[in-house]
Amino acid sequence: MSIIRSAILLTASLLLAGCNVHTKPIEADAPARDAVASSASPCNGATDETLMGITEHANGLASICRLDGQGDCLYTEAFGKTFISSRPDFNGDGLADFLIKDFTGSYGDHDIVHHLGYAACTQGGYVNVLSAFVTSAKADETQRQVQQWARVEVTRDCYDESTQSFISHRYTLSWDASTETYGPPDGNADLSDYCTAREMSLPAAR
C-alpha cells in the first residue's frame, strides 16, 4: 500500500508542478502587454512645445496653438486658410481627433493641400500624428492596423504639363509605431514629396 500511495503522491506532485509552470509565464506577460499598450500613445512623449490646443471657429475655421498659451499660434483662423476636414477617431480610444486642411502653401498647378492629423490626449490637448501633402484624405475607421490606428486613404492630383491634365494617384497612410506618426504614402519614402518625376511616372489611379 505504501508503494501505491507513494506513486499517487508523486504523480500528483508532477501534475501540480506542470500547472504552475504553465501559469507563471501568463502572469508575467500581463504587465508586459499593458506596458506595450500604454506606450503606444504618442501623447506619452508630448512636451509643452508639441502639445497643442485646437479651437473650432465659424465656417469650419480652426486655430492651432500651444496648449500652454506660449508663443505664436502655428495656424490661426485670422488668415482664413486653416479648416477642419473631419473629426475621426484615429486610434480607437473613443476620443474625437482632428483632420485639418491648411491652404497656406503654394504648390504650383498641382491640386495639393497640406493635411494635418492631430490625436486627442487624455490629459488634454492634441499631438500631431499626420502631415501629408495630398489632394484629399479620409480616415477609414473600419480598417485598423498597427496598435488599432485607422488606415488613412489619400489621393494626390498632380498636373502634367506635357498633357495639360491632372494625373491622380491613390495611396494609403499607415501608422508607423517607430515614429509614432503616420508614414509616407504606401510606406514609400519616395512618395513623401508631392508630384515628383518618380510619382508622375506611376500609373494613374483607376
Side-chain angles (χ1 to χ4, degrees):
M1 293 294 292
S2 60
I3 295 176
I4 295 174
R5 185 181 298 108
S6 298
I8 293 173
L9 291 174
L10 178 60
T11 301
S13 298
L14 290 173
L15 289 173
L16 182 58
C19 291
N20 289 339
V21 169
H22 177 70
T23 56
K24 284 182 180 178
I26 295 176
E27 294 173 355
D29 287 347
R33 288 195 301 270
D34 292 343
V36 170
S38 63
S39 64
S41 173
C43 294
N44 293 340
T47 65
D48 290 340
E49 289 75 22
T50 61
L51 194 60
M52 298 291 130
I54 300 178
T55 304
E56 300 182 58
H57 302 276
N59 301 318
L61 287 165
S63 58
I64 305 174
C65 313
R66 279 178 50 163
L67 188 63
D68 62 7
Q70 300 299 309
D72 295 329
C73 293
L74 297 179
Y75 304 92
T76 174
E77 83 285 359
F79 296 131
K81 294 186 176 183
T82 307
F83 295 85
I84 297 170
S85 176
S86 61
R87 298 295 309 275
D89 181 358
F90 285 123
N91 56 346
D93 62 357
L95 300 177
D97 303 319
F98 279 98
L99 188 57
I100 288 173
K101 296 190 294 186
D102 179 66
F103 293 87
T104 301
S106 177
Y107 310 102
D109 292 326
H110 305 302
D111 187 8
I112 299 296
V113 179
H114 189 190
H115 284 74
L116 299 154
Y118 283 86
C121 299
T122 55
Q123 71 268 33
Y126 301 83
V127 291
N128 179 238
V129 295
L130 183 152
S131 177
F133 294 89
V134 293
T135 304
S136 67
K138 181 179 181 181
D140 185 355
E141 297 179 48
T142 67
Q143 300 291 329
R144 295 193 178 275
Q145 302 172 314
V146 179
Q147 297 171 349
Q148 293 301 306
W149 286 78
R151 189 169 64 185
V152 178
E153 305 292 347
V154 302
T155 62
R156 184 182 277 163
D157 296 344
C158 303
Y159 186 73
D160 185 350
E161 292 185 357
S162 65
T163 61
Q164 295 188 350
S165 61
F166 286 93
I167 299 176
S168 181
H169 295 98
R170 295 191 183 96
Y171 306 111
T172 297
L173 306 184
S174 299
W175 182 251
D176 185 343
S178 65
T179 62
E180 294 190 333
T181 60
Y182 278 92
D186 286 358
N188 188 344
D190 291 340
L191 296 174
S192 296
D193 293 331
Y194 63 91
C195 303
T196 62
R198 168 80 176 87
E199 182 173 19
M200 298 291 280
S201 69
L202 297 175
R206 295 184 181 275

